[in-house]
Amino acid sequence: MESTDQERIEFGIFAYIHDSRQTYGLRAQDYLRYRRFCAHRLRNVRGAVKLSQGTSTTFRKKEVSADMVSRPEHLEILLLQAERAWAFAMDLRELYSRTEEPRQRYHLIRRLRAALKAGGQLAAAAAGCGNCDERTLLEAHAYKLQMQSQLHFELEEWTSALDCAVLSRVISEQLALAGSSRHYALAHSMIEALDPIVRLAAYRARMAGAQQSQPTELAALWHSTMMLNNAARVGKAITGYSGITAALDAFAAGANSGASGDAQVLAYANCLSWRGGVVSYASQELAVLTKDAQEALQKATTDDDGALDEAETAFGRVKKAARRCHSEAVATSAKIHSTASETLESAYLAIQLYSTCALQSIAIAKHVGQAKAAATKLGITLEATDNSAFLGHAQAWILDSEAGERRGGSTISKRKGQKGGITDSLTEAARVVVLYDMIRKSLNNLMVSVSEILERVSPATSRAIHAHQIIEEVAAAEAYYSCVRGYYSAALHASPAHNKHLDSLALLDLTLTETIPRALALASTASKLAVPRPEGQAVDDLWRRTVTVTIDDIAAVERGIKRAIPVVGRLCATTTSANPAAAQGKAGTGDWVSDPSGRPVMVVNELAASASKPLPGGPPQYAPKLVDLTAMEFAAVPVKPLFYDLVASSIDFDTDLINQRSGKSSAAGTGGNSKLGSLIGSLWGSR
């Protein structure tokens, strides 16, 4: 039979086993029902491929060999034979656990030998037919090794049982990493079935740490120490060991090749290295997209917006693919229950978090680059060495205006008439403030997205990539950029077009007294939670440049603001303003407008003191004492008692008692004791 003339046979052995077992009895541990299903299904499949073994009166045995395998049904026959024998063996084991009858144990071993024989025929047929795909071949080998490990386990051959179980785990793990979410969950469901054998066989084989270590750790240790360098010993226990390892190496080499030409994913191999941790997942497409995005970001620089746009597009594709893979993992987890399915869901959420942080970092990098370029063009920089460098264009305007006044001219009118003068400078200065507002908006969006993702990520995945520390770092970055934004906003208010020097001074004072202490506290907290980030990772490097904030960065902003306050004070003292507060300020009188060093004393804010605990964005703890209320005098203002006039008609006076005490007759001026007199007396009284 020429395999090149036939179509490739793809038969999902793991999926077939899982669906059959969960549908026909094994969910309730009913092995008898499952054995009956295997027998009934086997008879139907044999009839479909014309391999029936006789009639009700005659029997003719018909084996399925590798030469006749041309359809998936041929492999299904061998798999059903193995499953039928295995189900009978498991039923006998439950019966033996209750009765301890030796004959039942012997029968159990015979049924396991029959299951191993059928499993071996399945693996040989998949390998010998020549037209089975690599996944079907490896799944057949893994299934055969699982049957063999159970047989050695019942025979108390612990070393051989451990060899077969570990090799089956290795094959299943490789299949899990090179497939979809369903392949990942199915492979790990087979792995979890081998965990009891690995644990007990390792203990019986006197393996170090067998009681304390997990089955995954025991299997990895046994494979590295007892199997990799002892192929001769393992080959005696496992038939066809060299062929299995060769098929596994070929599958791994094919899985590590990209979907197109030179796209290799050897550096990732379905693993994401980020923030000092590693996250494994099961999507080859996602691995290729992640590698392409990393390479695009590695080539880009913060000054090249075009390259950053390409990297941003690439990470957008990564985020979209991660969302799709997560939806598939959730759907698979609802059908295939295993701890690995939940781990896979968290892995895809971690990749979503990774792409989200990368996208926002790229956006921040572009805004920071544009803002720094505009600020450098205007001469407004935080790296100033003296006071005259703050508000370069405004300070130059002051010097020019003083010279113009000495010459008898006005520099403001001249600059307003020049093309590209104050108007262009104002546009650039406002653009700097807007860019830093956009940076803060990106950080706020990032914090919201991170919080939503962290609510669904498992604690183990979150600890691996230090995910909860992202919020601390973003909060510190937002406070830092608020300080920088306050600095440039003060520069904008003090520009000649606005001429709001008092507002500029207030902004600097607020940034110095409120925002910078908050930023220092957040940066100090974030620095205590330092995350190890290896060099060479593009996303980590970009995050370090744009989001990670140190105390030295905030101290540099603080120094710039302290240098700027005297300059704004000079602006307030030099220029003429219609603001009454600015006009009343006289140098040398201690007024805080003209002399920033003499600003009013900061007292405890009663609004903040009355609150049970300080709220973010609430009233400040201290406020300037602008008015001395104790020195104010209050004057009484005569007011007509309107309220009394309105309610007096409803008051009932005892006129007899009033007249008796006053010595007046009750009938005087009131019309006697008549009803009309009482009414009049109650309203106006007696005269």
Side-chain angles (χ1 to χ4, degrees):
M1 178 183 297
E2 292 296 329
S3 61
T4 56
D5 299 335
Q6 298 181 0
E7 297 181 356
R8 301 286 289 178
I9 297 177
E10 297 181 1
F11 181 53
I13 296 176
F14 288 175
Y16 188 90
I17 292 172
H18 178 271
D19 295 342
S20 300
R21 290 180 179 180
Q22 295 299 315
T23 306
Y24 299 102
L26 259 63
R27 184 174 297 183
Q29 300 298 314
D30 190 351
Y31 293 101
L32 178 60
R33 179 189 172 192
Y34 182 60
R35 180 159 60 96
R36 288 174 177 172
F37 157 76
C38 292
H40 181 72
R41 177 65 181 170
L42 179 60
R43 184 170 61 252
N44 292 339
V45 175
R46 280 187 173 275
V49 296
K50 302 184 183 305
L51 288 176
S52 299
Q53 300 185 120
T55 62
S56 59
T57 57
T58 60
F59 177 78
R60 295 178 180 177
K61 188 174 183 179
K62 294 182 181 180
E63 296 285 355
V64 178
S65 61
D67 295 335
M68 65 175 61
V69 174
S70 59
R71 299 168 56 182
E73 286 78 5
H74 294 116
L75 299 179
E76 186 180 359
I77 291 174
L78 298 174
L79 181 60
L80 286 171
Q81 289 179 354
E83 284 290 285
R84 182 181 60 177
W86 173 82
F88 198 0
M90 295 300 102
D91 197 9
L92 290 171
R93 187 172 66 177
E94 287 190 353
L95 185 61
Y96 175 73
S97 64
R98 295 193 300 267
T99 62
E100 296 185 359
E101 179 71 26
R103 291 179 301 175
Q104 295 170 356
R105 184 173 183 275
Y106 298 149
H107 196 183
L108 159 66
I109 294 174
R110 287 196 299 270
R111 288 294 87 200
L112 285 177
R113 292 186 189 278
L116 175 59
K117 179 182 178 181
Q121 291 175 348
L122 174 64
C129 67
N131 56 342
C132 285
D133 66 333
E134 295 177 345
R135 178 174 290 275
T136 302
L137 176 60
L138 287 179
E139 287 183 355
H141 283 306
Y143 178 76
K144 177 246 182 182
L145 289 170
Q146 186 176 9
M147 295 294 106
Q148 189 174 357
S149 67
Q150 292 192 9
L151 176 60
H152 289 305
F153 185 81
E154 293 295 335
L155 294 174
E156 298 183 359
E157 298 172 355
W158 311 117
T159 303
S160 299
L162 199 54
D163 288 336
C164 296
V166 168
L167 185 56
S168 179
R169 284 180 61 100
V170 171
I171 297 174
S172 299
E173 288 173 354
Q174 184 61 47
L175 291 172
L177 293 177
S180 63
S181 301
R182 179 171 174 80
H183 291 146
Y184 186 91
L186 289 170
H188 278 275
S189 66
M190 300 295 289
I191 291 174
E192 291 176 2
L194 292 170
D195 285 346
I197 296 178
V198 171
R199 184 183 291 275
L200 185 56
Y203 174 74
R204 293 291 188 178
R206 300 183 181 278
M207 185 177 177
Q211 291 182 321
Q212 296 82 13
S213 302
Q214 296 295 324
T216 303
E217 300 173 357
L218 294 173
L221 181 61
W222 184 268
H223 183 257
S224 60
T225 58
M226 301 296 295
M227 297 182 66
L228 289 180
N229 299 324
N230 296 308
R233 182 192 66 80
V234 179
K236 295 179 181 179
I238 301 175
T239 304
Y241 175 70
S242 59
I244 296 175
T245 55
L248 185 61
D249 294 339
F251 180 81
N256 287 333
S257 61
S260 60
D262 298 333
Q264 301 289 325
V265 292
L266 294 175
Y268 293 90
N270 294 355
C271 294
L272 174 66
S273 298
W274 183 44
R275 296 178 63 83
V278 178
V279 178
S280 299
Y281 53 96
S283 175
Q284 191 72 15
E285 176 191 2
L286 189 58
V288 175
L289 292 176
T290 304
K291 176 180 178 295
D292 293 341
Q294 283 275 18
E295 291 179 351
L297 185 59
Q298 196 77 34
K299 296 176 182 178
T301 60
T302 55
D303 299 332
D304 188 358
D305 290 344
L308 287 176
D309 290 339
E310 294 179 2
E312 188 174 13
T313 303
F315 276 104
R317 290 194 291 266
V318 172
K319 185 175 182 180
K320 185 177 180 180
R323 286 179 176 176
R324 185 179 67 254
C325 292
H326 178 260
S327 301
E328 295 175 358
V330 172
T332 302
S333 179
K335 299 178 181 179
I336 305 173
H337 301 283
S338 64
T339 56
S341 300
E342 300 176 358
T343 304
L344 189 61
E345 293 180 27
S346 296
Y348 289 132
L349 288 174
I351 299 175
Q352 290 185 40
L353 181 62
Y354 166 78
S355 57
T356 300
C357 292
L359 288 171
Q360 296 297 340
S361 298
I362 292 172
I364 293 172
K366 292 194 293 186
H367 296 330
V368 169
Q370 295 172 6
K372 287 185 176 181
T376 304
K377 180 180 178 181
L378 293 173
I380 314 173
T381 59
L382 283 168
E383 293 79 8
T385 56
D386 55 4
N387 293 339
S388 63
F390 179 74
L391 307 176
H393 64 293
Q395 182 71 8
W397 170 78
I398 295 173
L399 299 177
D400 292 346
S401 62
E402 292 175 351
E405 290 177 358
R406 287 194 296 268
R407 293 192 300 268
S410 175
T411 309
I412 300 179
S413 59
K414 295 178 182 178
R415 291 208 171 194
K416 285 184 177 179
Q418 294 176 357
K419 183 178 180 181
I422 294 178
T423 305
D424 291 350
S425 298
L426 175 61
T427 304
E428 289 295 325
R431 184 166 173 264
V432 173
V433 178
V434 171
L435 285 171
Y436 279 104
D437 282 335
M438 295 174 68
I439 292 172
R440 295 170 61 201
K441 182 179 179 181
S442 298
L443 290 170
N444 290 330
N445 294 337
L446 177 59
M447 184 168 294
V448 173
S449 301
V450 169
S451 301
E452 292 176 353
I453 295 175
L454 289 182
E455 291 177 356
R456 299 178 289 167
V457 175
S458 65
T461 304
S462 178
R463 287 192 300 269
I465 60 176
H466 306 86
H468 284 81
Q469 298 178 12
I470 297 177
I471 296 181
E472 302 290 341
E473 297 175 6
V474 173
E478 194 276 334
Y480 166 75
Y481 285 113
S482 296
C483 297
V484 180
R485 191 261 183 196
Y487 179 88
Y488 288 113
S489 180
L492 177 62
H493 282 75
S495 62
H498 287 272
N499 202 23
K500 296 182 179 179
H501 307 135
L502 184 60
D503 294 340
S504 176
L505 189 63
L507 285 170
L508 291 173
D509 183 76
L510 178 65
T511 305
L512 184 63
T513 58
E514 294 292 334
T515 312
I516 286 182
R518 180 169 65 90
L520 287 172
L522 293 173
S524 177
T525 303
S527 63
K528 295 178 182 179
L529 306 173
V531 178
R533 295 190 182 94
E535 297 292 338
Q537 298 290 341
V539 175
D540 287 336
D541 294 342
L542 183 62
W543 183 272
R544 190 183 300 110
R545 294 196 304 268
T546 57
V547 179
T548 302
V549 177
T550 62
I551 296 178
D552 296 336
D553 298 333
I554 302 173
V557 180
E558 183 179 11
R559 289 193 298 268
I561 292 176
K562 288 181 178 179
R563 287 193 297 263
I565 288 178
V567 179
V568 180
R570 183 184 174 189
L571 290 172
C572 296
T574 305
T575 59
T576 303
S577 173
N579 192 327
Q584 294 175 2
K586 297 180 180 179
T589 60
D591 185 74
W592 73 293
V593 176
S594 57
D595 185 9
S597 62
R599 64 182 181 180
V601 179
M602 304 297 287
V603 297
V604 178
N605 190 357
E606 296 181 357
L607 294 177
S610 61
S612 58
K613 60 180 181 178
L615 300 176
Q621 297 295 323
Y622 297 94
K625 186 177 181 182
L626 302 178
V627 181
D628 189 2
L629 297 178
T630 59
M632 297 181 64
E633 297 181 357
F634 296 92
V637 179
V639 180
K640 184 179 180 180
L642 294 176
F643 179 76
Y644 179 77
D645 290 347
L646 293 175
V647 302
S649 59
S650 301
I651 301 176
D652 187 12
F653 294 98
D654 190 353
T655 56
D656 295 336
L657 181 60
I658 293 174
N659 292 334
Q660 181 181 358
R661 289 183 178 180
S662 61
K664 297 180 181 180
S665 60
S666 60
T670 61
N673 291 329
S674 62
K675 294 182 178 180
L676 181 60
S678 300
L679 177 61
I680 296 173
S682 63
L683 293 176
W684 287 281
S686 302
R687 294 183 181 276

